[in-house]
């Protein structure tokens, strides 16, 4: 017991000296900080409505009109910038494709299942329509939807302007619908086929050279720590209507157009001005969080060494309420707020699945022509904003414009930041269902591998930043790309890749990577082979296998508290030495409506090392929180399920709505923590316990 107390005392001393935590809580002012913007469309200090700033886009030089974000006039059918349809095919092209698909159908083993065979046969007809008369493609999919009752409003879901009919027309026109692509489409979007298998990888020519053996001499810990901020999933809702229904029956709540069907004419739960559990982030909550960060972390004067943002700026609107202007508005205002509120350090941001229009859609360059460039408006826009904020050098800006908004930055301290557009492995991106037998049909993982090889040659460390995680319970990404990503991480760990960060789930989670595709999960395989050769505590800071950190979200959606995290990072190894998480209790927000004295309070939730460290013997305060450490945490969880209970509570940022984790949930959570790819998660873990949201 005495040793434990001494451990905590030393740990808390390290916390205070490194992160310079100020008060344990920060309460935002009760009135909106009007100086943040120069002009407003309404009175920003009124408590009855959210502020509506006049936003000027430095990249497009456009001033966004009030009608774009007015919660009382939400547009429901954007016809200004639909996705282009593929060009009509020649008769020769139609014949060639028909013969190829006929052959594919005749050889496919899928037709032993009638429902699946029916779906793929329908896609064959859809392919013919999409090639011969693409203007009728969306109408065909509307009829397909009505026939099989795939949506309550097929015109909206599959129309050209308000839905994804034009996207499906593009995809089916180019997909092998009689083979793997078609089976995956029918499984993921129409629930008419079983999931296709994970395909074997041929890595014989993927890497230009084998992994070094022995590995390069390890970098020693410097003992100097950098403070790095991790933000994720802000999901700003500029159409948030204070006083609207906060407990709506379906869709995004706190909106004028979404009610509770039990009482459609009376608001049962009025939306507080700072947010609610079934709603995205109102501007008032976003500002409260950004005011709290420097006050709580002691970074008012110097800012952070850098900030990582792991995606999702835009609110959870249905496609028919979205537009390019709405996405660009959100990107503009959020990045501008980061620049104003977080200090001088650069922000390295990755796009989330909601940071696109249509949401979750991004097309691979392999489509060719104009179709390959149909999302370049977004890549150009965010690259222009990152240049305007002076976060990226020109080379990274150019790379982001040309490569799905993904880029590499080489910092002067020897760390390289590589960001990825993870829509390229996200299940909801229809374009990923083209040429699925290629695990990298977008070239994103080729880009990552080439950058890692350059870093290896230069002796640099790398942080990888993306949005959609590759593993956990395996429900979000696709099998084949994440299988390849896992092998890439293994090839370049631990001597190149220092850390990986994702967002997307809104929850506080981690994933551990193991060598040899996790054939053996142990403390030894979670640490590089070279690590076990050393015996001193100091050298624990030299080598480790990787784990992935999923950052907590600012948005409360769904039934979560709002939070952010700061890492203590060693300045030489770029290992995480400690992590500190703050959160605000959304359950208290309704009590703030009738006064203007105070706003939300953000308070210190937990310290990672302190919370789990007492369970790990022989791990000192100067040893990193690497994958070996996390694997030992999971072993401690197997011996003491109360640690999983703690993890489950923190996963939802201590929300009062987080349900307890018992029985099968205990073993499932440990399994998810050890699963860095979809195949590993699906093969090893019991499903149904991945999220604490309800």
């Amino acid at each position: 017991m005495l040793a434990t107390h001494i451990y905590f005392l030393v740990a808390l001393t390290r916390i205070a000296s490194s992160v310079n935590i100020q008060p344990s809580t920060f309460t935002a002012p009760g009135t909106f900080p009007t100086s943040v913007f120069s002009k407003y469309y309404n009175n920003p200090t009124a408590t009855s409505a959210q502020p509506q700033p006049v936003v000027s886009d430095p990249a497009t030089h456009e001033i966004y009109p009030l009608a774009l974000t007015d919660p009382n006039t939400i547009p429901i059918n954007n016809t200004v910038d639909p996705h282009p349809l593929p060009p009509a095919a020649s008769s020769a092209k139609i014949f060639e494709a028909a013969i190829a698909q006929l052959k594919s159908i005749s050889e496919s083993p899928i037709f032993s299942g009638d429902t699946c065979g029916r779906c793929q046969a329908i896609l064959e007809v859809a392919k013919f329509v999409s090639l011969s008369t693409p203007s009728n493609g969306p109408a065909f999919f509307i009829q397909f939807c009505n026939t099989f009752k795939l949506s309550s409003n097929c015109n909206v879901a599959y129309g050209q302007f308000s839905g994804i009919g034009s996207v499906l027309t593009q995809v089916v026109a180019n997909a092998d619908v009689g083979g793997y692509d078609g089976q995956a489409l029918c499984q993921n979007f129409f629930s008419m086929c079983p999931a296709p298998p994970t395909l074997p990888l041929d890595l014989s020519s993927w890497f230009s050279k084998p992994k070094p053996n022995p590995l390069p001499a390890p970098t020693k810990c410097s003992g100097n720590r950098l403070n790095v901020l991790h933000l994720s999933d802000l999901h700003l809702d500029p159409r948030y209507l204070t006083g609207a229904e906060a407990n709506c029956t379906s869709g995004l709540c706190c909106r004028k157009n979404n009610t509770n069907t039990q009482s459609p004419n009376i608001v049962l739960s009025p939306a507080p001005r700072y947010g609610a559990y079934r709603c995205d982030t109102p501007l008032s909550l976003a500002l409260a969080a950004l005011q709290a960060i420097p006050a709580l972390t002691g970074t008012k004067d110097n800012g952070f060494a850098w900030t990582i943002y792991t995606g999702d700026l835009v609110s959870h609107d249905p496609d028919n309420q979205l537009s390019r202007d709405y996405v660009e508005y959100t990107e503009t205002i959020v990045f501008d707020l980061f620049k104003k509120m977080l200090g001088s350090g650069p922000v390295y941001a990755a796009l989330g699945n909601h940071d696109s229009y249509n949401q979750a859609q991004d097309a691979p360059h392999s489509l060719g022509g104009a179709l390959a460039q149909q999302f370049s408006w977004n890549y150009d826009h965010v690259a222009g904003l990152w240049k305007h904020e002076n976060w990226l050098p020109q080379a990274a800006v150019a790379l982001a414009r040309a490569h799905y908004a993904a880029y590499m930055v080489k910092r002067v301290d020897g760390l390289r930041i590589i960001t990825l557009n993870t829509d390229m492995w996200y299940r909801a991106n229809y374009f990923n269902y083209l040429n699925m037998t290629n695990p990298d049909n977008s070239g994103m993982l080729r880009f990552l591998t080439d950058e890692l090889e350059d870093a290896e040659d230069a002796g640099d460390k790398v942080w990888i930043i993306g949005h959609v995680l590759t593993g956990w319970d395996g429900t979000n990404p696709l099998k084949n790309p994440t299988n390849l990503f896992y092998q890439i991480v293994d090839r370049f760990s631990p001597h190149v890749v220092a850390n990986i960060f994702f967002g997307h789930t809104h929850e506080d989670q981690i994933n551990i990577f193991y060598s040899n595709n996790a054939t053996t999960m142990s403390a030894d395989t979670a640490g590089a082979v070279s690590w076990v050769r050393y015996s001193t505590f100091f050298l624990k800071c030299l080598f480790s296998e990787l784990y992935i950190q999923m950052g907590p979200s600012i948005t409360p959606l769904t039934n979560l508290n709002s939070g952010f995290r700061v890492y203590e990072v060693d300045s030489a190894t770029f290992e995480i030495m400690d992590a500190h998480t703050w959160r605000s209790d959304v359950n208290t927000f309704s009590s703030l409506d009738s006064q203007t004295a105070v706003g939300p309070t953000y308070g210190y939730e937990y310290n990672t090392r302190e919370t789990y460290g007492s369970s790990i013997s022989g791990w000192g305060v100067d040893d990193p929180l690497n994958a070996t450490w996390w694997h030992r945490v999971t072993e401690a969880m197997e011996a003491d399920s109360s640690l999983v209970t703690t993890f489950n509570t923190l996963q939802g940022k201590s929300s009062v709505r987080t349900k307890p984790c018992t029985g099968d949930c205990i073993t499932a959570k440990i399994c998810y923590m050890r699963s860095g790819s979809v195949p590993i998660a699906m093969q090893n873990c019991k499903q149904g316990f991945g999220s604490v949201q309800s």
Side-chain angles (χ1 to χ4, degrees):
M1 182 63 71
L2 177 60
T4 300
H5 287 169
I6 292 174
Y7 175 88
F8 284 148
L9 178 61
V10 174
L12 289 173
T13 301
R14 170 70 75 178
I15 292 167
S17 62
S18 298
V19 175
N20 190 24
I21 294 175
Q22 301 298 298
S24 59
T25 62
F26 172 83
T27 300
T31 56
F32 188 82
T34 57
S35 61
V36 173
F37 301 98
S38 59
K39 294 181 180 180
Y40 296 84
Y41 287 115
N42 64 352
N43 178 6
T45 62
T47 60
S48 59
Q50 293 296 314
Q52 290 286 348
V54 178
V55 175
S56 177
D57 191 323
T60 65
H61 308 293
E62 175 184 2
I63 296 178
Y64 294 99
L66 174 62
L68 183 66
T69 57
D70 187 345
N72 294 298
T73 58
I74 298 175
I76 59 173
N77 190 16
N78 171 45
T79 60
V80 176
D81 44 19
H83 291 283
L85 297 169
S90 65
S91 57
K93 177 67 175 178
I94 295 173
F95 181 77
E96 176 186 350
I99 295 300
Q101 290 306 300
L102 177 63
K103 182 176 184 294
S104 181
I105 292 173
S106 66
E107 296 175 351
S108 173
I110 305 304
F111 282 88
S112 59
D114 183 60
T115 302
C116 188
R118 183 185 300 117
C119 180
Q120 289 191 267
I122 291 170
L123 291 186
E124 290 287 0
V125 178
K127 184 178 182 74
F128 176 81
V129 172
S130 299
L131 287 169
S132 60
T133 173
S135 61
N136 289 318
F140 176 86
F141 287 110
I142 289 173
Q143 291 301 314
F144 176 37
C145 172
N146 284 323
T147 300
F148 290 92
K149 298 180 174 58
L150 302 176
S151 172
S152 60
N153 190 335
C154 292
N155 289 327
V156 169
Y158 291 94
Q160 177 181 347
F161 293 106
S162 58
I164 45 78
S166 57
V167 168
L168 260 175
T169 302
Q170 293 181 44
V171 170
V172 170
N174 290 277
D176 176 17
V177 296
Y180 196 101
D181 297 353
Q183 183 181 352
L185 281 164
C186 288
Q187 183 267 328
N188 191 62
F189 296 106
F190 310 129
S191 301
M192 297 174 71
C193 278
T198 304
L199 296 176
L201 287 173
D202 180 8
L203 298 177
S204 58
S205 60
W206 184 261
F207 303 113
S208 64
K209 55 187 176 182
K211 189 171 184 175
N213 185 20
L215 291 173
T219 303
K220 295 181 180 180
C221 290
S222 68
N224 297 320
R225 300 193 182 182
L226 306 170
N227 295 331
V228 176
L229 175 65
H230 185 178
L231 297 176
S232 193
D233 294 87
L234 192 144
H235 287 292
L236 180 71
D237 186 1
R239 295 167 173 168
Y240 184 104
L241 180 62
T242 302
E245 182 58 65
N247 189 30
C248 63
T249 307
S250 62
L252 183 63
C253 300
C254 301
R255 289 292 190 86
K256 181 179 181 179
N257 57 336
N258 287 339
T259 63
N260 190 308
T261 55
Q262 293 182 355
S263 180
N265 299 318
I266 300 175
V267 174
L268 299 177
S269 300
R273 60 188 171 113
Y274 289 106
Y277 280 125
R278 295 181 60 81
C279 311
D280 269 331
T281 305
L283 189 58
S284 297
L285 176 60
L287 263 295
L290 293 174
Q291 287 173 298
I293 290 169
L296 289 171
T297 59
T299 57
K300 282 185 177 181
D301 297 327
N302 299 320
F304 296 94
W306 65 88
T307 293
I308 58 174
Y309 186 79
T310 49
D312 270 7
L313 307 161
V314 182
S315 54
H316 290 80
D317 290 70
D319 279 334
N320 65 306
Q321 295 176 16
L322 291 170
S323 64
R324 294 185 186 182
D325 276 353
Y326 187 75
V327 172
E328 289 177 330
Y329 168 93
T330 306
E331 292 167 344
T332 300
I333 191 173
V334 172
F335 289 139
D336 178 60
L337 286 173
F338 287 173
K339 183 70 170 183
K340 290 176 178 176
M341 306 294 288
L342 297 179
S344 58
V347 176
Y348 303 122
L351 289 187
N353 57 292
H354 284 275
D355 306 329
S356 185
Y357 173 72
N358 295 86
Q359 60 181 305
Q361 307 306 306
D362 278 289
H365 294 157
S366 57
L367 266 177
L371 297 184
Q373 302 300 320
Q374 62 189 295
F375 294 93
S376 61
W377 61 271
N378 199 24
Y379 314 144
D380 289 344
H381 186 248
V382 291
L385 293 178
W386 296 333
K387 178 181 179 181
H388 173 78
E389 305 298 0
N390 200 29
W391 292 335
L392 300 184
Q394 183 56 43
V397 170
L399 189 55
R401 291 183 189 276
H403 203 264
Y404 315 115
Y407 57 85
M408 185 281 293
V409 172
K410 182 176 182 179
R411 293 171 48 84
V412 295
D413 54 16
L415 176 68
R416 298 190 185 204
I417 304 287
I418 299 177
T419 69
L420 302 176
N421 184 335
T422 57
D423 270 358
M424 299 309 182
W425 62 50
Y426 187 38
R427 285 182 62 185
N429 182 7
Y430 283 88
F431 292 101
N432 288 336
Y433 295 79
L434 293 172
N435 191 20
M436 291 194 75
T437 54
N438 178 358
D440 185 35
N441 66 352
S442 68
M444 181 63 61
L445 295 176
R446 180 73 265 160
F447 158 75
L448 172 64
T449 304
D450 292 344
E451 293 293 346
L452 290 173
E453 288 182 345
D454 286 345
E456 182 179 62
D457 292 341
D460 291 339
K461 291 287 190 177
V462 169
W463 278 18
I464 300 173
I465 299 172
H467 179 66
V468 178
L469 63 164
T470 58
W472 188 249
D473 64 350
T475 57
N476 285 285
L478 293 167
K479 293 178 179 179
N480 297 329
T482 62
N483 188 26
L484 176 55
F485 179 83
Y486 202 99
Q487 314 313 314
I488 295 170
V489 170
D490 185 16
R491 163 62 180 83
F492 293 99
S493 299
H495 59 301
V496 178
V497 181
N499 281 295
I500 304 171
F501 303 90
F502 291 135
H504 186 61
T505 66
H506 300 189
E507 301 177 23
D508 190 342
Q509 302 165 335
I510 65 105
N511 263 164
I512 305 168
F513 277 58
Y514 299 87
S515 60
N516 299 317
N517 207 28
T519 51
T520 301
M521 297 183 183
S522 67
D524 290 338
T525 60
V529 176
S530 297
W531 178 80
V532 300
R533 295 179 183 171
Y534 300 95
S535 59
T536 64
F537 282 172
F538 177 77
L539 288 177
K540 287 177 184 172
C541 203
L542 303 185
F543 274 150
S544 68
E545 196 57 87
L546 265 294
Y547 74 95
I548 290 177
Q549 184 76 54
M550 271 72 81
S553 64
I554 297 293
T555 185
L557 195 76
T558 307
N559 294 329
L560 302 171
N561 284 326
S562 176
F564 59 89
R565 174 174 294 131
V566 172
Y567 300 109
E568 294 182 47
V569 178
D570 184 83
S571 62
T573 65
F574 302 103
E575 294 267 18
I576 292 177
M577 307 304 293
D578 216 335
H580 311 273
T581 304
W582 287 262
R583 60 101 185 185
S584 188
D585 186 358
V586 177
N587 198 48
T588 66
F589 287 1
S590 60
S591 66
L592 303 174
D593 282 344
S594 59
Q595 51 79 53
T596 58
V598 296
T601 295
Y602 278 83
Y604 192 73
E605 185 183 22
Y606 78 104
N607 163 251
T608 301
R609 181 183 292 275
E610 177 183 345
T611 299
Y612 302 110
S614 61
S615 305
I616 312 303
S617 61
W619 215 268
V621 295
D622 290 320
D623 299 323
L625 306 186
N626 56 29
T628 302
W629 185 83
W630 274 110
H631 181 82
R632 292 185 178 179
V633 169
T634 63
E635 289 178 330
M637 288 176 170
E638 289 174 323
D640 179 5
S641 63
S642 68
L643 286 174
V644 180
T645 301
T646 298
F647 184 91
N648 186 72
T649 298
L650 297 175
Q651 188 178 335
K653 290 163 281 184
S654 302
S655 170
V656 296
R657 299 193 179 185
T658 296
K659 295 180 180 179
C661 181
T662 59
D664 288 342
C665 175
I666 299 290
T667 53
K669 284 286 171 73
I670 297 171
C671 188
Y672 300 153
M673 294 171 71
R674 295 172 174 174
S675 300
S677 71
V678 174
I680 295 172
M682 292 300 184
Q683 176 179 331
N684 297 337
C685 305
K686 186 177 181 64
Q687 295 298 300
F689 302 101
S691 176
V692 298
Q693 300 175 58
S694 57

